[in-house]
Amino acid sequence: MTSTILKLENISKYYGNKKALTNIEWEAEEGKFITVLGPSGCGKSTMLSIIAGLERPDTGKIIFEGIDITHTPAYSRAINTVFQDYALFTHLNVYENIAFSLKIKKLSASQIKKRVSALLETVSLSGYEKRDVRTLSGGEQQRVAIARALANEPKLLLLDEPLSALDLKLRKEMQRELKALQKATKITFVYVTHDQNEALSLSDDIIVINKGSILQKAPPDEIYAKPVNSFAAQFIGDGNILNSVVMDNGRAKVFGTAIINCETSGFKKDETAYALIRPENVYFGSAKENSLTAKVISSIFKGEYYEITADLNGERIKGRSEKAFEAGQSAKFEFKDEIYHLMRS
Amino acid sequence: MRRIFGRIYTYMLLIFLYAPVIIMAVYSFNESRTSKIWGGFSLKWYISLFSNKQILTALTHTLIIAAVAMIISTIIGTLAAVGISGLGKYSKKTIMAINYLGIINPDIIIGVSLMLLFTFMDLNFGFLTMFISHITFCIPFVVISVMPVIKKLNTNTINAAYDLGAKPLYTLRKVIIPQIRPGIITGALLAFTLSLDDFVVSFFTTGSGVTNLSIYVYTSARRGISPEINALSVLMLTVVFTLLVAVNLRMLKTERKTK
C-alpha cells in the first residue's frame, strides 16, 4: 500500500513578467524515484527550490504528508536537498559538514559520531572524517553532499542535477549507487536532470517539463513508447518524427506512400499527425520490393550496427544497418512490423 | 638593464614613502631636543613618554575610541553588507553609492555635519559623540571590505544551511560569518587604523576632557612638538606593523590551505 507523500497543486512562479512555472500539478508516491526531466531553463530547478522551501510559489499549494507546507520555511521542512554544486561548507571538514544538521537537532556528541560514521559507510567514505572538503575529488564531494542531506533522515530527498559535474564513467557509477541507495533507504527521491539516459535508467516515474509546464508524467517505458508530443519524443531517446496521414483501421501513411501500423484510436481518418519511429525499428539495406529509397547523409559505425541518417523528400530518417553506406548513396529501408505511436503535435 | 632600472625605481619609491617615518624613528632616539642636532643615542624620550600623564591619557582615549569604533562598526558594517548583498540590483547600487559617499566625503564635512547634528540633538560633547562619529565614518569602510568576500560566497551554502534546518541567525553565525571572516578582519583592522589616525572628525566632535592623541599633538604643536611624540609614534608604528605582518601571514596560510 503506497501513499502520496508530496503533492503540488497549481504551482505557478513568476520572475517579474517572466513565467518560470505554470500550473504545475503532480504528486509523488512514497518511496518512489521520480525524475524531473527537461532542458536547461525549463523551470525544473525552480520547482525543486519551491519544494525545498527556498523559493515561494506565486500561486498554488505544496502538500507534504497531508499537510500544507506552502508557507513553512525551508528549515522546518523534513525535506533535504543535494545541490548541483554540492554547496559544501568549505570552512568545515567532512565530519562537521555531515554533522551540521545533527548539531542543530542537539543530538549528543556520541550519537552524532555514530550517525556520521554510519553515513560515511553508506557513501563508502569511511575514514574521511577529518578531511578538508576542498581537497576531495568531485565524486567524493558528491558523496559528502549526499551523506549530509541524508543525515536528517528526510522523508523526501531532492537532487538537483547532482551528477552533472562528474565525468561519464563516474556518473554511471554514481547512478547505480544512487539507485541502490534509494532502494535501501526507501526515501522518496525527486531527481532533476536534463540527461534522458539518467532519467530512463533511474526512475520509477518521469516528469517531462518544458517552458515551465508539465508535458507528461509516466513511467519510463511508457514515456519512451508513448510520448505525449514530439517535444517529449525528441527529449526521451532518439526518434524519427515523421509527418503522417491517418488512414482507416489502425494504419497511417508516411513519406506519402509507405503504410505503417499505428495506434489510431482518437484520430480521425485523413487527419495529419506525427508518427514516432525509433531508429531501432528502421532497417537500412532492405531487399523488399516495396521498400523506400533514401539518400544517405551519414553512416556511423556503432559497434553492433551502423547508424544511418538519410534524406527522403526533405524528411530525415535515422535507422540501422548491418553494413556501411557511402554518403550520397541511395539506400533502401523498411520499417519493422510494429504498432507505432501517433502524436498530434 | 631594465631590471636594474626597475630595482632602482622601486627602492627610490620605498625611500620616498618611508623616509619621513625613518627620520622620525631615528630622532626618537636623539638625545637632543631639536631635530636639527644629533645629540647622540638615547632612550630618554621613551622613558619620559611613560611618565607624561597627558600623553598616556590621550593614548588611552585613542585606543578606547578605536576599539569601540572597530567593534561596533564591524558588527554594523558586516550586517549591512550581508543585507545589501541580498537586495535587488537597483537598490543594491543605490545603497552602495550612498555608502561610497561616506568614503569620498571630506573629513571636514563629516566632522562639521556631525557637530551640527549633535548640537541639534543637544548631546553632551565627549566620549559618546566621539564614539558615534568614529563608528559613523568607519562603517562604509567595513562595508566595502566585506562586500567582495560576500560576492565570492557561494549562496547555495546559505540555502544548504536552511535546507539542513538552520534558522537565519544560526546560518549567519555558523555559515556566513565563518566564510566571510577574512573580509571582516580586513574591515575591522581598517576601522581600527582609521579611528586611530583621525584628527579632523575628532576635533569637531570631542568635548572637554576627551583629548585623543591627534588632538593632543595638534594642540601641543604650538609649543613645539616634544620628541616624546616621535617615540610614541615609533611604538605605535611597531604595533601596527606587527599586526599587519601577522594578518598577512595568516592570509598566506589560509591561501595555501585552499590550494
Side-chain angles (χ1 to χ4, degrees):
Chain A
M1 177 66 201
T2 50
S3 62
T4 302
I5 184 163
L6 178 76
K7 198 170 168 190
L8 274 71
E9 287 180 1
N10 194 29
I11 298 284
S12 294
K13 175 80 184 170
Y14 301 84
Y15 289 117
N17 291 324
K18 224 185 126 243
K19 263 190 177 177
L21 291 172
T22 323
N23 306 331
I24 297 290
E25 298 239 9
W26 57 273
E27 42 189 84
E29 271 175 26
E30 201 167 349
K32 293 277 181 187
F33 197 123
I34 294 159
T35 301
V36 179
L37 178 66
S40 47
C42 71
K44 55 191 193 300
S45 290
T46 307
M47 191 165 80
L48 217 59
S49 298
I50 288 174
I51 300 170
L54 300 168
E55 298 220 36
R56 286 284 144 85
D58 290 314
T59 69
K61 273 196 234 171
I62 304 155
I63 315 288
F64 179 62
E65 296 189 295
I67 298 160
D68 183 352
I69 57 157
T70 317
H71 300 288
T72 309
Y75 52 79
S76 306
R77 298 185 184 189
I79 299 172
N80 286 115
T81 309
V82 177
F83 291 87
Q84 185 170 9
D85 59 358
Y86 318 140
L88 295 178
F89 304 129
T90 49
H91 58 291
L92 302 176
N93 64 23
V94 170
Y95 181 91
E96 292 161 332
N97 263 280
I98 299 171
F100 189 83
S101 61
L102 303 172
K103 276 183 188 153
I104 293 169
K105 271 191 166 173
K106 301 223 159 63
L107 294 187
S108 72
S110 61
Q111 277 175 302
I112 294 179
K113 206 174 166 198
K114 225 170 157 185
R115 181 99 185 99
V116 172
S117 49
L119 284 160
L120 281 173
E121 206 182 310
T122 313
V123 296
S124 346
L125 283 182
S126 293
Y128 273 60
E129 282 89 344
K130 293 275 158 57
R131 295 279 282 269
D132 183 333
V133 293
R134 289 170 296 192
T135 62
L136 301 181
S137 72
E140 288 165 343
Q141 290 192 14
Q142 175 67 78
R143 286 158 201 263
V144 175
I146 292 168
R148 187 180 67 175
L150 289 174
N152 240 342
E153 298 178 308
K155 295 268 179 60
L156 180 65
L157 188 69
L158 308 174
L159 301 104
D160 188 2
E161 309 221 14
L163 308 181
S164 59
L166 305 179
D167 61 55
L168 188 68
K169 192 168 162 254
L170 197 54
R171 207 183 314 159
K172 295 270 181 226
E173 196 181 310
M174 286 301 293
Q175 276 179 21
R176 266 196 302 279
E177 282 184 33
L178 275 176
K179 184 74 188 165
L181 186 71
Q182 194 266 335
K183 273 198 173 139
T185 56
K186 296 193 177 68
I187 297 171
T188 314
F189 275 35
V190 175
Y191 187 100
V192 161
T193 184
H194 64 266
D195 182 332
Q196 37 156 306
N197 291 323
E198 224 164 81
L200 287 172
S201 52
L202 292 174
S203 336
D204 295 314
D205 263 328
I206 296 177
I207 298 172
V208 182
I209 178 166
N210 189 34
K211 291 180 184 156
S213 299
I214 291 180
L215 297 181
Q216 193 169 11
K217 177 177 182 277
D221 51 350
E222 193 185 322
I223 288 221
Y224 188 78
K226 292 175 180 169
V228 70
N229 61 16
S230 46
F231 178 85
Q234 275 172 332
F235 212 74
I236 307 253
D238 217 356
N240 297 298
I241 291 153
L242 302 175
N243 291 310
S244 63
V245 179
V246 180
M247 299 164 72
D248 48 1
N249 51 30
R251 291 183 307 163
K253 224 185 254 178
V254 292
F255 293 115
T257 52
I259 291 164
I260 53 172
N261 292 320
C262 289
E263 181 53 58
T264 52
S265 61
F267 287 89
K268 289 194 287 276
K269 189 174 181 285
D270 295 329
E271 192 180 341
T272 54
Y274 296 99
L276 171 65
I277 302 175
R278 299 285 180 192
E280 59 264 31
N281 292 331
V282 180
Y283 171 63
F284 276 87
S286 164
K288 275 191 191 165
E289 270 177 39
N290 59 349
S291 53
L292 294 160
T293 307
K295 199 171 164 197
V296 174
I297 296 168
S298 70
S299 164
I300 300 162
F301 183 55
K302 290 277 185 182
E304 280 179 56
Y305 58 88
Y306 287 88
E307 184 185 271
I308 312 293
T309 308
D311 177 282
L312 176 54
N313 300 333
E315 267 192 285
R316 287 273 168 108
I317 179 87
K318 201 189 249 182
R320 293 180 179 181
S321 163
E322 283 158 9
K323 57 174 180 124
F325 281 91
E326 292 287 322
Q329 202 180 347
S330 289
K332 284 189 163 187
F333 68 91
E334 64 183 83
F335 301 116
K336 267 195 200 156
D337 203 10
E338 287 268 338
I339 296 168
Y340 292 103
H341 177 64
L342 288 181
M343 300 166 291
R344 280 227 159 73
S345 54
Chain B
M1 220 23 205
R2 259 177 80 182
R3 272 183 65 184
I4 294 170
F5 273 122
R7 260 194 202 174
I8 292 173
Y9 182 78
T10 313
Y11 286 129
M12 294 268 283
L13 202 73
L14 288 174
I15 288 168
F16 270 112
L17 273 175
Y18 289 103
V21 178
I22 293 163
I23 288 169
M24 186 186 72
V26 170
Y27 278 107
S28 74
F29 297 106
N30 190 1
E31 167 76 37
S32 149
R33 189 172 184 83
T34 59
S35 50
K36 277 178 189 149
I37 308 150
W38 179 252
F41 182 83
S42 153
L43 286 175
K44 80 172 192 198
W45 302 116
Y46 285 88
I47 295 157
S48 78
L49 168 69
F50 286 100
S51 49
N52 185 331
K53 279 231 174 78
Q54 275 179 306
I55 289 186
L56 289 180
T57 339
L59 175 66
T60 322
H61 289 167
T62 302
L63 290 177
I64 290 173
I65 293 164
V68 170
M70 173 183 79
I71 293 166
I72 299 183
S73 67
T74 303
I75 294 170
I76 298 178
T78 303
L79 292 178
V82 171
I84 293 167
S85 68
L87 290 174
K89 204 167 127 199
Y90 292 103
S91 339
K92 193 192 275 176
K93 273 195 175 160
T94 315
I95 300 212
M96 283 313 280
I98 294 170
N99 188 65
Y100 276 113
L101 207 62
I103 290 168
I104 56 170
N105 217 357
D107 280 357
I108 186 94
I109 293 177
I110 299 177
V112 171
S113 59
L114 281 168
M115 184 185 73
L116 288 172
L117 178 75
F118 297 147
T119 319
F120 175 76
M121 287 167 70
D122 213 12
L123 287 180
N124 277 328
F125 282 81
F127 268 118
L128 181 68
T129 50
M130 280 284 258
F131 287 152
I132 296 174
S133 47
H134 278 236
I135 290 164
T136 307
F137 73 73
C138 285
I139 288 172
F141 289 92
V142 176
V143 172
I144 58 155
S145 316
V146 177
M147 279 307 272
V149 282
I150 292 186
K151 222 176 232 172
K152 279 200 291 179
L153 180 78
N154 178 357
T155 48
N156 258 351
T157 58
I158 301 171
N159 285 335
Y162 289 154
D163 190 72
L164 292 165
K167 294 192 172 136
L169 209 62
Y170 189 87
T171 306
L172 183 70
R173 276 195 305 129
K174 298 285 183 177
V175 175
I176 301 177
I177 288 175
Q179 291 192 81
I180 62 173
R181 188 167 284 145
I184 297 175
I185 292 174
T186 313
L189 283 174
L190 204 58
F192 190 80
T193 336
L194 284 170
S195 168
L196 213 61
D197 76 15
D198 171 73
F199 166 68
V200 180
V201 178
S202 303
F203 187 71
F204 283 100
T205 55
T206 189
S208 59
V210 186
T211 302
N212 67 3
L213 267 181
S214 56
I215 294 173
Y216 174 82
V217 173
Y218 175 75
T219 45
S220 63
R222 275 174 254 164
R223 288 174 268 133
I225 295 173
S226 151
E228 286 164 351
I229 296 295
N230 292 344
L232 177 69
S233 307
V234 171
L235 287 180
M236 283 176 68
L237 202 71
T238 318
V239 172
V240 171
F241 184 73
T242 322
L243 266 174
L244 210 70
V245 171
V247 169
N248 273 316
L249 281 178
R250 227 186 71 111
M251 278 160 115
L252 215 68
K253 223 167 137 191
T254 47
E255 237 169 68
R256 272 204 203 121
K257 232 184 184 177
T258 359
K259 279 174 192 169

